[in-house]
Amino acid sequence: MGSRRRIVIGAAPGEAATFQALVAEYGSPLLVFNPAALQRQYHLLSNALPGVGLYYAVKAHPNAHIVRTLDELGSGFDVASAGGMEMLTELKIPGHRTIHTHPVKKDREIRDALRFGATTFVVDNPGELAKLVPYRDRVGILLRISFRSDHAAVDLSRKFGCGLDEVSGMVASAQRHGIHIKGLSFHVGSQCTTADTHVEAIEKCGELMLTTSQTTNAPLSTLDIGGGFPADYGLSGIDIDDYCRPLRKMLAALPDDWHLLAEPGRFLVAPAVTSITTVTGKSERHGVMWYYLDDGVYGSYSGQVFDHAEYPLQVLKTGDTRPSILAGPTCDSIDIIAEDIQLPELEIGDLVIGRQMGAYTAATRTRFNSLPDARFVYAGK
Amino acid sequence: MKYFRETLYDSICQNFRIDKLYYENRADQQHLVIFHNARLGRVMALDGVVQTTEADEFIYHEMLAHVPLFAHGHARRVLIIGGGDGGMLREVLRHPVEQVTQVEIDRAVVDMALEYLPNHSAGAYEDPRLQLVIADGMDFVRKAGDHFDVIITDSTDPIGPGEVLFSEDYYAAAKRCLTAGGILVAQNGVPFMQPDELQHTACRMHAHFTDTAFYCAPVPTYYGGFMAFAWGSDNRELRATPQATLQARFDKSGLNTRYYNPAIHQASFALPQYMLDSLAGTD
């Protein structure tokens, strides 16, 4: 099995010294956060989607430094759990700048979200709608629609979302209960390679909102286009403005008084965090070089299991390459970051760099083998 | 923070200019803010919801204190559950009561109000008739051995720390702490925006009091028109106290009020039709 993973061999002038200095100061393994990269991504996406309110999907990387950086840019926040709301509360971010997007909720979670000040909720079936009826005078509901994408790395429309044909029935039922469905939301999936499904979803939701609004006295006016904007795991230089061009065209055709929002996570935060791990052991087995690192798939590289991501890897030296395997620190044989890759021979103490590691990395790490978490380092000014 | 934006409703919100921020705290998953607003004076908000302002607190406190006390006519012992800002205590102590027990869950609320909202208590916390108890209100009424002629629930909204003070268990336990023919009153939200709250309280109180009713007053910063106050007693005659009797008691008290008077007292029990419609079938 050949890997399509991007491997970078060697470092730009000064780059190796920077990584080594970070490890000398903070130890290893590290996750190094560069706020300037996050700011850049936020501006790129805001400019590519004018008129669309951006709500950072906090679950992608629920970290206070990241949230604070986005807060300073005026971002909104998409929260799906009480833990997410607690963090925003501590950072003094008011509830009106958040939306609660988990389609399945306990009553206690609804009450806590309302108390926090989040009044937008997402539902995708009549049972979930019924849970919000006691709070009907306070909440605004988005109906989540399922759109299956053939171009997404992670399909988010299998587990959640109702069909377009169910919308009119849900809107009518909501009206009978005196609860307001203010619009539709969808998630085309994560890490989409083209905007085709996004465009189709906007078109179909837009049409449906218009026709539904004509037959009801409670117009649908909010469209949440979700996330799915890709991170550059191939280091090939994704042009987000280019990617969003067909979306912009479609969104521009919608009525001016509609409220548009998106829930980017991965696109914003992936390039803003870099993993640094250290080779702690090596051995040659059956002609292949095995390198044992101090971080792995139970830690920062957990997204390789849960998120199907293949992060670009970098070694700082150059030289003749050999077939190599990078393995994580746990005793489990699935704890392998990369195999069938060609690397120059590494020594114990050498650093291995993981790029584009801001999204769904630390967020899904485990406590397996009781290994310490990679330390989060803020590399801002 | 330059503005305080209330976060009660998804499609409507009130926005208050912050002219001076006095206090902000986000411990214990609670967000408490006290600020000055040019029109309203000092404003206290908890978890994104305005609790009290210096400009209009008199309407709320006068109506929740004087209506049961003048209707009762000779209350000696009064229990206040909540009310840490001290406004309710101030109004109750203007009556010739022998003892007021106030149960506040958090001493910090009282200290904070003394420092930043001193006009609310206006010295009431120094009154020797006060017994201040720092305890959970529900626990207190469940375990209390004392009896009170009037109990006033001055709580936050049912979504938040005051949730248990809207439960049937609370009404039952509070009833047990009342003297024969005593009165329980409680803030009960703004029915135009929260009609369910009216229905729930009516059903839950009805099981424990022979006379359950609501009266109302408009508090400008509680968006949505009239605020409702729940009333429960086993003495039906108290709610029907003649206006002449109320007037005599009011005159004798020598109180100067800004919202309450005996005519308003009686009129406040007349409910608008939308509230009566909400309540239909609850008794």
Side-chain angles (χ1 to χ4, degrees):
Chain A
M1 187 183 85
S3 174
R4 292 183 297 122
R5 182 194 301 274
R6 181 68 198 275
I7 305 282
V8 178
I9 291 172
E15 201 179 21
T18 304
F19 291 131
Q20 280 150 2
L22 283 165
V23 170
E25 187 169 358
Y26 300 107
S28 173
L30 298 176
L31 284 173
V32 182
F33 169 51
N34 174 8
L38 179 58
Q39 288 156 354
R40 178 170 180 273
Q41 293 299 101
Y42 186 85
H43 290 307
L44 284 172
L45 193 60
S46 317
N47 293 338
L49 293 171
V52 179
L54 300 184
Y55 288 74
Y56 168 61
V58 174
K59 61 184 172 294
H61 200 145
N63 175 279
H65 291 283
I66 289 169
V67 168
R68 194 178 292 123
T69 302
L70 287 163
D71 175 37
E72 285 163 5
L73 294 168
S75 176
F77 297 91
D78 151 26
V79 289
S81 70
M85 289 186 289
E86 271 172 38
M87 186 173 65
L88 297 184
T89 300
E90 278 166 23
L91 295 173
K92 304 192 175 188
I93 294 167
H96 65 78
R97 284 172 53 198
T98 69
I99 54 176
H100 190 289
T101 58
H102 202 299
V104 182
K105 294 164 284 293
K106 296 175 183 167
D107 183 59
R108 172 50 55 195
E109 289 167 333
I110 297 169
R111 298 178 73 92
D112 287 347
L114 283 172
R115 190 173 161 190
F116 166 64
T119 52
T120 295
F121 292 89
V122 172
V123 305
D124 68 355
N125 68 69
E128 284 299 313
L129 188 64
K131 290 182 191 173
L132 288 155
V133 167
Y135 313 104
R136 61 182 176 269
D137 296 296
R138 296 185 61 170
V139 301
I141 307 292
L142 295 173
L143 264 187
R144 179 159 164 178
I145 310 299
S146 164
F147 284 95
R148 305 298 289 269
S149 172
D150 300 330
H151 305 288
V154 182
D155 182 358
L156 292 174
S157 281
R158 172 164 172 257
K159 188 166 171 182
F160 299 116
C162 65
L164 284 164
D165 54 335
E166 297 170 70
V167 170
S168 65
M170 292 274 282
V171 169
S173 160
Q175 269 201 298
R176 279 196 302 279
H177 287 107
I179 191 165
H180 183 214
I181 292 183
K182 63 178 178 177
L184 304 182
S185 83
F186 58 79
H187 277 267
V188 294
S190 205
Q191 188 64 13
C192 301
T193 51
T194 82
D196 294 351
T197 312
H198 245 131
V199 169
E200 182 200 342
I202 294 168
E203 185 177 17
K204 291 200 168 144
C205 287
E207 281 170 11
L208 190 63
M209 284 168 65
L210 283 173
T211 52
T212 310
S213 295
Q214 281 161 8
T215 59
T216 161
N217 55 13
L220 277 63
S221 63
T222 301
L223 180 60
D224 174 354
I225 65 171
F229 308 100
D232 192 5
Y233 293 131
L235 300 183
S236 54
I238 289 173
D239 183 341
I240 198 66
D241 192 67
D242 204 40
Y243 178 95
C244 289
R245 186 167 293 122
L247 272 69
R248 271 202 300 281
K249 194 175 158 208
M250 203 51 83
L251 293 170
L254 301 175
D256 288 342
D257 55 1
W258 281 13
H259 307 267
L260 304 175
L261 43 124
E263 301 165 18
R266 182 189 309 277
F267 174 82
L268 293 179
V269 80
V273 178
T274 300
S275 151
I276 304 178
T277 63
T278 303
V279 176
T280 56
K282 62 185 280 191
S283 88
E284 182 175 354
R285 301 167 68 211
H286 310 295
V288 176
M289 290 307 300
W290 283 70
Y291 299 106
Y292 303 96
L293 308 178
D294 56 6
D295 203 351
V297 303
Y298 287 93
S300 303
Y301 285 84
S302 61
Q304 296 199 168
V305 177
F306 297 116
D307 191 41
H308 314 293
E310 282 201 325
Y311 308 107
L313 298 172
Q314 178 181 14
V315 293
L316 305 177
K317 34 172 79 143
T318 53
D320 294 339
T321 62
R322 300 186 56 182
S324 305
I325 291 177
L326 295 176
T330 68
C331 304
D332 190 344
S333 57
I334 78 152
D335 191 3
I336 287 173
I337 294 170
E339 52 191 320
D340 291 334
I341 57 172
Q342 293 284 329
L343 295 178
E345 185 161 350
L346 303 177
E347 301 303 331
I348 288 170
D350 281 355
L351 304 183
V352 174
I353 309 304
R355 299 283 188 180
Q356 303 279 332
M357 284 193 60
Y360 306 104
T361 52
T364 50
R365 67 184 163 211
T366 73
R367 307 284 345 140
F368 184 53
N369 273 30
S370 304
L371 291 161
D373 291 339
R375 185 165 171 188
F376 187 94
V377 176
Y378 178 84
K381 296 198 171 60
Chain B
M1 188 163 56
K2 304 279 199 294
Y3 286 87
F4 172 78
R5 178 173 155 167
E6 204 170 39
T7 53
L8 264 173
Y9 310 111
D10 189 58
S11 57
I12 307 165
C13 74
Q14 304 193 98
N15 216 7
F16 299 76
R17 195 177 70 215
I18 295 177
D19 291 316
K20 179 168 175 53
L21 182 65
Y22 290 113
Y23 182 85
E24 182 172 19
N25 157 51
R26 288 198 192 226
D28 311 322
Q29 274 84 60
Q30 283 197 32
H31 179 205
L32 187 66
V33 194
I34 299 173
F35 61 89
H36 185 88
N37 171 273
R39 177 63 187 84
L40 300 169
R42 297 202 180 189
V43 178
M44 179 171 79
L46 178 66
D47 293 336
V49 182
V50 170
Q51 303 295 311
T52 187
T53 87
E54 285 186 334
D56 65 2
E57 55 88 12
F58 70 95
I59 304 173
Y60 175 84
H61 290 126
E62 286 184 11
M63 287 302 279
L64 211 39
H66 301 326
V67 170
L69 287 169
F70 280 122
H72 191 282
H74 47 271
R76 296 184 301 116
R77 296 163 58 83
V78 176
L79 173 64
I80 300 171
I81 301 291
D85 59 50
M88 198 64 70
L89 181 65
R90 177 199 70 209
E91 291 302 317
V92 170
L93 286 171
R94 297 172 77 190
H95 292 259
V97 294
E98 288 170 14
Q99 195 194 346
V100 179
T101 302
Q102 178 171 359
V103 181
E104 171 56 52
I105 196 164
D106 186 357
R107 170 81 214 183
V109 175
V110 175
D111 292 338
M112 182 270 314
L114 281 169
E115 184 168 359
Y116 299 105
L117 289 171
N119 297 331
H120 268 60
S121 51
Y125 282 112
E126 305 298 317
D127 195 298
R129 291 174 290 168
L130 168 67
Q131 187 198 5
L132 179 63
V133 180
I134 301 303
D136 178 89
M138 181 73 207
D139 266 4
F140 183 88
V141 292
R142 215 179 250 149
K143 295 171 187 161
D146 293 348
H147 289 84
F148 302 89
D149 302 310
V150 169
I151 299 178
I152 300 172
T153 315
D154 180 9
S155 71
T156 54
D157 289 324
I159 294 175
E163 182 173 350
V164 69
L165 302 180
F166 290 81
S167 67
E168 187 170 339
D169 287 349
Y170 172 74
Y171 299 124
K175 165 74 188 297
R176 209 184 45 75
C177 297
L178 281 175
T179 52
I183 306 166
L184 169 72
V185 292
Q187 82 86 0
N188 208 75
V190 175
F192 181 81
M193 297 305 293
Q194 298 131 3
D196 291 357
E197 219 174 288
L198 203 60
Q199 293 164 9
H200 292 154
T201 302
C203 292
R204 290 166 191 168
M205 281 181 69
H206 191 71
H208 303 283
F209 294 95
T210 51
D211 188 33
T212 301
F214 293 91
Y215 62 104
C216 44
V219 185
T221 44
Y222 301 152
Y223 175 84
F226 282 113
M227 160 160 266
F229 306 104
W231 167 287
S233 177
D234 281 350
N235 183 350
R236 284 182 174 277
E237 288 176 14
L238 294 180
R239 184 153 62 95
T241 307
Q243 196 177 325
T245 308
L246 293 172
Q247 189 69 51
R249 289 172 181 168
F250 184 58
D251 291 346
K252 190 178 164 212
S253 76
L255 285 191
N256 289 313
T257 52
R258 289 199 284 158
Y259 187 85
Y260 179 89
N261 59 45
I264 279 283
H265 177 136
Q266 283 215 315
S268 69
F269 283 91
L271 300 184
Q273 194 58 37
Y274 70 86
M275 288 190 213
L276 294 178
D277 291 346
S278 284
L279 288 167
T282 56
D283 48 306

